[in-house]
């Protein structure tokens, strides 16, 4: 009897300090914990090397960017991935000549760097002023063939866009991964996006019939801005959803966590094909998606 393709995925959740070595050590400790629980692909949260600095528009924070090549955190995670035989997407602030990106390097289970994805959708609002730091990503949505599965990886604000999820699954992604940094809104304490955030991604999983893994940070981070202090309390709630959009594992809003879930990729593939949503798609009717206003195609 043919062996079925199963994979164990993990989402990590922790509170960041503003010290790179401390945060990378925490990430490594939790990666090892996930590996001990059988994880094959382990997702670390967005920009985990330090505080989420995008609360402020500060020139000195741009100096946190480093080139992809010989990036010290990526090199360390390559060594760790090879030692444990696991896949690790590694989020980092990338410098590329005079451009800067919110990027993620995908490290395969033998330590190979499979390449990077650069965040496509860049938010700009109080407390999340990413357009000051990051160019819009130019890689397009990508799928990475790892030892355990073909995976699609996008970043935080990308997770609100169904087009991104669908694009990755159309290219063969069997699991979607979203490293994240999201919490309270500094300008309005009455806004709570936590449940909305989860439901949107659960919809991506269910609409595309693939598992989905989301990793978010926890803790309060206070940043000195040009207008005084700004603070965000990150709400965690990292989760793993199954291919029907159901949550199969979830963290709370305060505690460090290592989430684990196992999926039978062959069974999911069979269900996805028989359900018919990819068979019955009508790309010829979706031309409005190539416009901003529903009328004029973007050149």
């Amino acid at each position: 009897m043919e062996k079925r393709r199963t994979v164990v995925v993990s989402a990590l959740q922790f509170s960041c300090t503003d010290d790179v070595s401390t945060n990378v050590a925490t990430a490594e400790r939790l990666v090892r914990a996930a590996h001990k629980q059988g994880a094959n692909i382990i997702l670390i949260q967005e920009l985990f090397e330090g505080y989420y600095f995008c609360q402020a528009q500060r020139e000195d924070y741009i100096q946190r960017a480093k080139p992809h090549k010989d990036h010290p955190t990526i090199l360390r995670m390559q060594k760790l991935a090879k030692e444990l035989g696991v896949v690790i997407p590694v989020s980092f602030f990338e410098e590329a000549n005079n451009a800067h990106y919110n990027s993620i390097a995908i490290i395969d289970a033998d330590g190979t760097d499979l390449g990077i994805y650069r965040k496509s959708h860049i938010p700009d609002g109080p407390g999340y002023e990413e357009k000051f730091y990051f160019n819009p990503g130019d890689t397009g949505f990508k799928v990475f063939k790892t030892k355990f599965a073909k995976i699609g990886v996008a970043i935080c604000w990308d997770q609100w866009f169904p087009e991104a999820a669908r694009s990755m699954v159309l290219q063969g992604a069997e699991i979607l991964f979203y490293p994240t940094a999201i919490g309270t809104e500094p300008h309005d304490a009455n806004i709570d996006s936590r449940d909305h955030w989860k439901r949107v991604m659960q919809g991506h999983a269910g609409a595309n019939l693939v598992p989905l893994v989301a990793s978010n940070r926890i803790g309060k981070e206070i940043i000195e801005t040009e207008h005084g202090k700004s603070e965000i309390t990150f709400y965690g709630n990292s989760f793993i959803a199954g291919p029907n959009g159901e949550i199969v594992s979830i963290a709370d809003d305060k505690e460090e966590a290592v989430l684990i879930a196992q999926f039978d990729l062959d069974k999911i593939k069979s269900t996805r094909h028989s359900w018919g949503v990819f068979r019955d798609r009508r790309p010829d009717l979706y031309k409005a998606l190539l416009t901003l206003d529903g009328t004029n195609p973007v050149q």
Side-chain angles (χ1 to χ4, degrees), residues 36 114 133-134 162 168 173 183 235:
K36 284 184 178 179
L114 298 178
Y133 297 98
F134 307 128
M168 291 184 283
Y235 52 60

Side-chain angles (χ1 to χ4, degrees), residues 66-75 78:
K66 293 183 177 65
H68 175 209
K69 182 176 173 57
D70 296 326
H71 190 291
T73 298
I74 295 174
L75 292 175
Q78 285 183 264

